Short mmCIF file of all heavy atoms in Angstrom, two decimals:
data_model
loop_
_atom_site.label_atom_id
_atom_site.label_comp_id
_atom_site.label_asym_id
_atom_site.label_seq_id
_atom_site.Cartn_x
_atom_site.Cartn_y
_atom_site.Cartn_z
N ARG A 300 3.45 16.35 -2.02
CA ARG A 300 3.56 14.89 -2.01
C ARG A 300 2.76 14.37 -0.83
O ARG A 300 3.02 14.85 0.28
CB ARG A 300 4.98 14.42 -1.99
CG ARG A 300 5.22 13.05 -2.38
CD ARG A 300 6.79 12.96 -2.75
NE ARG A 300 7.27 11.61 -2.65
CZ ARG A 300 7.11 10.66 -3.61
NH1 ARG A 300 6.46 11.00 -4.70
NH2 ARG A 300 7.63 9.51 -3.46
N GLY A 301 1.91 13.50 -1.00
CA GLY A 301 1.15 12.87 0.13
C GLY A 301 0.93 11.36 -0.03
O GLY A 301 0.65 10.90 -1.12
N HIS A 302 1.13 10.67 1.07
CA HIS A 302 0.92 9.22 1.14
C HIS A 302 0.85 8.72 2.57
O HIS A 302 1.20 9.49 3.44
CB HIS A 302 2.03 8.47 0.32
CG HIS A 302 3.40 8.68 0.82
ND1 HIS A 302 3.90 8.02 1.94
CD2 HIS A 302 4.40 9.59 0.41
CE1 HIS A 302 5.14 8.44 2.15
NE2 HIS A 302 5.49 9.38 1.29
N VAL A 303 0.37 7.57 2.72
CA VAL A 303 0.45 6.96 4.05
C VAL A 303 1.97 6.72 4.44
O VAL A 303 2.70 6.14 3.72
CB VAL A 303 -0.24 5.62 4.10
CG1 VAL A 303 -0.05 4.88 5.49
CG2 VAL A 303 -1.80 5.82 3.84
N SER A 304 2.32 7.30 5.58
CA SER A 304 3.72 7.08 6.07
C SER A 304 3.84 5.87 6.90
O SER A 304 4.80 5.14 6.76
CB SER A 304 4.28 8.30 6.75
OG SER A 304 3.52 8.51 7.96
N GLU A 305 2.88 5.58 7.75
CA GLU A 305 2.96 4.31 8.55
C GLU A 305 1.59 4.01 9.13
O GLU A 305 0.78 4.87 9.23
CB GLU A 305 3.95 4.45 9.64
CG GLU A 305 4.31 3.16 10.36
CD GLU A 305 4.68 1.99 9.39
OE1 GLU A 305 3.71 1.36 8.91
OE2 GLU A 305 5.87 1.73 9.02
N THR A 306 1.36 2.75 9.45
CA THR A 306 0.13 2.31 10.10
C THR A 306 0.62 1.43 11.23
O THR A 306 1.26 0.40 10.99
CB THR A 306 -0.78 1.58 9.18
OG1 THR A 306 -0.98 2.34 8.00
CG2 THR A 306 -2.09 1.22 9.81
N PHE A 307 0.39 1.76 12.46
CA PHE A 307 0.92 1.09 13.64
C PHE A 307 -0.27 0.36 14.31
O PHE A 307 -1.25 0.92 14.67
CB PHE A 307 1.53 2.10 14.58
CG PHE A 307 2.17 1.43 15.76
CD1 PHE A 307 2.94 0.33 15.65
CD2 PHE A 307 2.03 2.00 17.03
CE1 PHE A 307 3.56 -0.31 16.77
CE2 PHE A 307 2.68 1.48 18.16
CZ PHE A 307 3.40 0.31 17.97
N VAL A 308 -0.14 -0.99 14.50
CA VAL A 308 -1.15 -1.77 15.07
C VAL A 308 -0.64 -2.58 16.28
O VAL A 308 -0.36 -3.78 16.15
CB VAL A 308 -1.73 -2.77 14.02
CG1 VAL A 308 -3.09 -3.38 14.50
CG2 VAL A 308 -2.00 -2.04 12.72
N PRO A 309 -0.50 -1.96 17.42
CA PRO A 309 -0.02 -2.70 18.56
C PRO A 309 -1.22 -3.33 19.31
O PRO A 309 -2.19 -2.69 19.68
CB PRO A 309 0.62 -1.61 19.45
CG PRO A 309 -0.14 -0.31 19.07
CD PRO A 309 -0.73 -0.56 17.70
N TYR A 310 -1.08 -4.67 19.61
CA TYR A 310 -2.28 -5.32 20.26
C TYR A 310 -2.26 -5.22 21.76
O TYR A 310 -3.25 -5.54 22.38
CB TYR A 310 -2.24 -6.83 19.79
CG TYR A 310 -2.83 -7.02 18.44
CD1 TYR A 310 -2.14 -6.67 17.30
CD2 TYR A 310 -4.13 -7.44 18.30
CE1 TYR A 310 -2.64 -6.77 16.04
CE2 TYR A 310 -4.72 -7.58 16.99
CZ TYR A 310 -3.97 -7.22 15.90
OH TYR A 310 -4.52 -7.41 14.69
N MET A 311 -1.13 -4.77 22.29
CA MET A 311 -1.08 -4.50 23.75
C MET A 311 -1.49 -5.66 24.65
O MET A 311 -2.09 -5.48 25.67
CB MET A 311 -2.03 -3.26 24.10
CG MET A 311 -1.87 -2.11 23.18
SD MET A 311 -0.28 -1.32 23.36
CE MET A 311 -0.53 -0.34 24.84
N ASP A 312 -1.14 -6.85 24.26
CA ASP A 312 -1.34 -8.00 25.09
C ASP A 312 -0.02 -8.59 25.53
O ASP A 312 0.81 -8.90 24.63
CB ASP A 312 -2.13 -9.06 24.26
CG ASP A 312 -2.52 -10.32 24.98
OD1 ASP A 312 -1.69 -10.76 25.92
OD2 ASP A 312 -3.49 -10.94 24.74
N PRO A 313 0.20 -8.63 26.86
CA PRO A 313 1.58 -8.96 27.29
C PRO A 313 1.93 -10.46 27.24
O PRO A 313 3.07 -10.89 27.57
CB PRO A 313 1.64 -8.39 28.70
CG PRO A 313 0.20 -8.48 29.13
CD PRO A 313 -0.67 -8.27 27.94
N THR A 314 1.02 -11.33 26.88
CA THR A 314 1.36 -12.75 26.92
C THR A 314 2.38 -13.16 25.89
O THR A 314 2.60 -12.42 24.89
CB THR A 314 0.11 -13.65 26.77
OG1 THR A 314 -0.46 -13.27 25.49
CG2 THR A 314 -0.88 -13.45 27.84
N GLU A 315 3.12 -14.23 26.14
CA GLU A 315 4.21 -14.69 25.29
C GLU A 315 3.85 -14.74 23.83
O GLU A 315 4.68 -14.46 22.96
CB GLU A 315 4.68 -16.06 25.83
CG GLU A 315 5.98 -16.50 25.07
CD GLU A 315 6.39 -17.87 25.51
OE1 GLU A 315 6.28 -18.23 26.72
OE2 GLU A 315 7.01 -18.63 24.65
N GLU A 316 2.62 -15.26 23.58
CA GLU A 316 2.26 -15.51 22.20
C GLU A 316 1.73 -14.17 21.51
O GLU A 316 1.50 -14.23 20.29
CB GLU A 316 1.11 -16.54 22.11
CG GLU A 316 1.54 -17.89 22.64
CD GLU A 316 1.51 -17.99 24.18
OE1 GLU A 316 1.03 -17.07 24.83
OE2 GLU A 316 2.09 -19.01 24.70
N TRP A 317 1.59 -13.15 22.28
CA TRP A 317 0.93 -11.96 21.70
C TRP A 317 1.79 -10.66 21.83
O TRP A 317 1.54 -9.67 21.04
CB TRP A 317 -0.42 -11.69 22.35
CG TRP A 317 -1.45 -12.48 21.68
CD1 TRP A 317 -1.76 -13.79 21.92
CD2 TRP A 317 -2.37 -12.14 20.65
NE1 TRP A 317 -2.69 -14.28 21.12
CE2 TRP A 317 -3.16 -13.22 20.33
CE3 TRP A 317 -2.59 -10.97 20.00
CZ2 TRP A 317 -4.11 -13.20 19.36
CZ3 TRP A 317 -3.55 -10.92 18.98
CH2 TRP A 317 -4.37 -12.03 18.67
#
Side-chain angles (χ1 to χ4, degrees):
R300 196 160 158 82
H302 58 81
V303 172
S304 62
E305 193 49 275
T306 307
F307 182 43
V308 193
Y310 281 75
M311 311 294 281
D312 180 329
T314 57
E315 183 183 327
E316 297 79 11
W317 278 82

